[in-house]
Amino acid sequence: MSIDYLDGNALAGPLGEIFAVEVTTAVGTCAGCGAAGPVASLHVYGPEPGLVARCPSCEEVVLRLVRTPDAVWLDMRGAISLRIPMPEPRT
Amino acid sequence: MRRLPWRAAKLTGIRQETATARTLVFTIPGWPGHLAGQHVDVRLTAPDGYSTERSYSVAAPERGDRVELTVELVEDGEVSPYLLEVLEVGDEVEIRGPVGGWFVWRPERATPVLLVGGGSGVVPLMAMIRARRAAGSSAPFRLIYSVREPDQRFYLDELADPQPGLDITYIFTRKTPDGWDRAPGRITAADLDGVSPGTDSYVCGPTGFVEAAADHLIALGHAPDRIRTERFGPTGG
């Protein structure tokens, strides 16, 4: 792969447009190799025609995000799961 | 928590940092605050409706509705020439943020910190240094700041003013000041040696710089999960 990439920090704004939680600190697990790490550490290519986030270990596509004038397409087939940190419930 | 809206941001101040970089001070009514290291998206919209956006790191810690960005001119860029050469005090752009919760430093954390910045990658690191001072933190900080030439350093006067517990090393890759010990050249493992592996590291700069610095740190025994990175791509501007 080319070295001309950004990292998952670049997803924070576009994902902030659709999610109410901060997703770049979530831990994703790659469907390609099973590596787990924060979304912020993914290798991100783009922004045109869309953002493509690849696993830093195996370079498989984990997540794709495309913004059209009236919609956002989010393809997460390369992620087995996303673990999103949540505040503990108040007792 | 709500999804991130675009907010009107009025330019209220300009500081020249180098021949090609300026700090832009915006006032953003309703700004929710931010952490040192976070960034914002800036959107410009032309009269015909065409719009484009870029991400910039915030250069200073939270202070009411004030947000400071340091922007380096990218030749042939689309956004930075407008921000630096067209936008005047009193003009407005749209800003969305703060975004990013990973590359952040929180003042309550007392662990020693290593900051490694390449070029304008120093901007979010400067926000951390300023946040440390503003909070009266005594966490030991070490900044390693790589630039091509001496006159490309941002925040030179402020960094020359000693702060207890903040150690600064400059690396020059093309030209050094007269009498400088280190020959000009890219960052090496030797530049990062002597930092305890128990340190929290923040590395920010162009992708190649970040890869090199992070690889050196890992080779020196730093745990990958203690190294936080933020890369600037070639598509900025």
Side-chain angles (χ1 to χ4, degrees):
Chain A
M1 292 303 299
S2 125
I3 202 169
D4 291 347
Y5 57 83
L6 294 169
D7 55 38
N9 296 298
L11 297 170
L15 289 173
E17 196 176 26
I18 50 178
F19 286 109
V21 294
E22 214 291 295
V23 179
T24 62
T25 55
V27 173
T29 301
C30 173
C33 70
V39 170
S41 70
L42 295 172
H43 291 177
V44 173
Y45 298 79
E48 303 300 339
L51 293 163
V52 176
R54 291 177 175 272
C55 172
S57 297
C58 72
E59 285 287 343
E60 278 297 321
V61 175
V62 174
L63 176 159
R64 294 187 298 169
L65 188 149
V66 178
R67 184 76 164 88
T68 70
D70 64 351
V72 175
W73 289 84
L74 181 62
D75 170 356
M76 297 194 59
R77 78 181 79 172
I80 292 172
S81 64
L82 264 190
R83 181 182 184 278
I84 298 161
M86 300 294 283
E88 290 189 31
R90 292 188 193 132
T91 51
Chain B
M1 196 169 166
R2 56 178 294 199
R3 292 191 292 269
L4 281 176
W6 289 100
R7 297 172 197 271
K10 182 182 281 190
L11 184 65
T12 51
I14 299 174
R15 288 198 304 272
Q16 195 80 32
E17 299 291 351
T18 68
T20 54
R22 287 175 167 181
T23 293
L24 306 178
V25 182
F26 290 96
T27 298
I28 309 176
W31 183 249
H34 59 270
L35 297 166
Q38 287 190 296
H39 60 271
V40 299
D41 294 336
V42 176
R43 179 164 76 179
L44 306 178
T45 304
D48 67 359
Y50 170 76
S51 76
T52 185
E53 60 195 66
R54 293 289 184 278
S55 292
Y56 294 99
S57 290
V58 183
E62 179 176 341
R63 191 170 141 200
D65 57 6
R66 181 187 165 107
V67 172
E68 296 191 17
L69 310 179
T70 304
V71 178
E72 169 103 56
L73 181 70
V74 176
E75 298 289 348
D76 312 327
E78 194 176 11
V79 173
S80 65
Y82 182 87
L83 292 177
L84 296 177
E85 293 165 358
V86 179
L87 200 68
E88 295 179 355
V89 168
D91 290 346
E92 287 192 347
V93 297
E94 288 179 291
I95 288 183
R96 173 174 74 186
V99 292
W102 176 246
F103 195 82
V104 299
W105 178 76
R106 290 180 169 79
E108 57 271 24
R109 190 157 169 90
T111 307
V113 170
L114 171 67
L115 307 173
V116 185
S120 53
V122 75
V123 175
L125 310 181
M126 191 64 185
M128 296 177 190
I129 289 170
R130 288 169 165 164
R132 173 185 182 273
R133 186 177 54 199
S137 161
S138 54
F141 265 41
R142 180 159 179 210
L143 170 66
I144 296 176
Y145 180 12
S146 170
V147 289
R148 278 186 208 152
E149 299 173 9
D151 63 5
Q152 292 185 333
R153 287 174 288 182
F154 296 178
Y155 320 121
L156 193 55
D157 291 345
E158 189 175 337
L159 291 174
D161 189 20
Q163 292 179 43
L166 169 64
D167 181 69
I168 302 171
T169 305
Y170 292 104
I171 292 174
F172 301 99
T173 60
R174 296 244 180 104
K175 193 176 110 190
T176 68
D178 291 338
W180 196 257
D181 280 344
R182 183 188 183 280
R186 289 171 185 255
I187 193 164
T188 67
D191 294 312
L192 298 165
D193 202 3
V195 178
S196 159
T199 298
D200 288 337
S201 296
Y202 295 85
V203 184
C204 186
T207 296
F209 173 87
V210 170
E211 292 293 298
D215 286 349
H216 292 322
L217 287 172
I218 290 167
L220 290 166
H222 291 247
D225 63 0
R226 299 289 292 277
I227 304 170
R228 298 191 175 208
T229 58
E230 176 145 295
R231 298 167 174 88
F232 288 172
T235 52

